[in-house]
Amino acid sequence: MAATAAPAPVHDGLEFWQFMIAGSIAGSVEHMAMFPVDTLKTRMQAITSTAKAASSLTLRHSLASILKLEGLAALYRGIAAMGLGAGPAHAVYFSVYESCKSLGNPNSPVAHAASGVCATVASDAVLTPMDVVKQRLQLKGSPYKGVCDCVKRVMVEEGFGAFYASYRTTVVMNAPFTAVHFATYEAAKRGLMAEGEDESLVVHAAAGGAAGALAAVVTTPLDVVKTQLQCQGVCGCDRLSSSSIMDVIGIIKKKDGYRGLMRGWIPRMLFHAPAAAICWSTYESVKSFFH
């Protein structure tokens, strides 16, 4: 802990493990707090077997249906899988981001975006298997008893590759998501602060919320593709003949039109805006604790 009264550096002066701890805590808090909204998004995106049913499914209808037919606990089904994956993945995410950013111009949006892309490629390799498990458990009528049962059955019935069937799509989605997110976050943070003013939790939360909302809306079509790949063949979700991003986009467009590619954008935005605000403010708070 720093003993001086001088302002601690914002991005420098911490060890690699400290970035990992801060990122792990931030990611876990973010996903646990917003998990019910993520469940709604998954339910809305997974339905493509009938365009009529898909087009009539709204956020309010989805929430009311879950609460009436399955109860409040259904909104949290699969949270254990996210708990196991979010901490390690975000530890990798933020430590790689900080390490890469330190190599370039700290005020360059391009450096922030590039660092974010590097971070997401690494973290997605850690999170994707648990994300597959999480989404399958979130589906209505999920046949799995829990995390261990899902992992075991997917391994036996579909093979290890099923856990990474969506990895390419996830990276392709999260690369622009992270680039937009980090560049917007850093720019919004500078815009919200007066010259020479110290960063506050309000600034981190506001900048993070704006960045999360924008990045979420822009990348929704790829998120729909990811959900389709991860949930295929389960609970009535169509089995896909190809894992190609363009092929899946074509299938969705054919069945549901362009509207199908934006399904779930409202809960996705409602998830990522507050989630990013929570994540960034938590991350920066933990970082400041180490100074």
Side-chain angles (χ1 to χ4, degrees), residues 27-37 76 79 271 275 278:
S28 297
V29 171
E30 166 197 0
H31 284 282
M32 298 302 111
M34 300 304 301
F35 195 84
V37 182
Y76 289 91
I79 195 170
F271 173 91
I278 293 169

Side-chain angles (χ1 to χ4, degrees), residues 100-219:
C100 291
K101 193 170 70 168
S102 67
L103 301 176
N105 182 350
N107 295 317
S108 168
V110 175
H112 298 150
S115 299
V117 171
C118 292
T120 197
V121 171
S123 66
D124 283 343
V126 177
L127 184 60
T128 295
M130 281 296 102
D131 192 44
V132 171
V133 174
K134 183 264 300 181
Q135 287 206 308
R136 291 192 177 206
L137 288 170
Q138 287 176 320
L139 295 175
K140 182 179 180 180
S142 174
Y144 308 108
K145 298 177 182 178
V147 175
C148 292
D149 180 54
C150 184
V151 171
K152 185 185 301 182
R153 288 181 57 180
V154 171
M155 282 287 290
V156 172
E157 298 170 8
E158 303 174 53
F160 180 76
F163 290 112
Y164 282 94
S166 66
Y167 178 64
R168 178 175 55 187
T169 303
T170 302
V171 170
V172 171
M173 174 186 71
N174 282 341
F177 177 94
T178 308
V180 172
H181 186 118
F182 277 97
T184 303
Y185 172 73
E186 298 286 357
K189 194 169 62 172
R190 288 195 302 271
L192 290 169
M193 292 189 302
E195 187 173 349
E197 180 185 358
D198 290 336
E199 297 176 5
S200 67
L201 288 181
V202 174
V203 169
H204 292 307
L214 178 61
V217 174
V218 169
T219 56

Side-chain angles (χ1 to χ4, degrees), residues 242-260:
S242 171
S243 62
S244 164
I245 295 173
M246 295 309 298
D247 286 349
V248 177
I249 287 176
I251 292 171
I252 295 172
K253 282 171 54 182
K254 184 177 179 180
K255 290 184 176 180
D256 306 327
Y258 285 101
R259 178 190 297 182

Side-chain angles (χ1 to χ4, degrees), residues 20 29 59 66 71 84 127 143 213 216 223:
M20 293 189 73
V29 171
L59 180 63
I66 291 174
L84 292 172
L127 184 60
D223 191 52

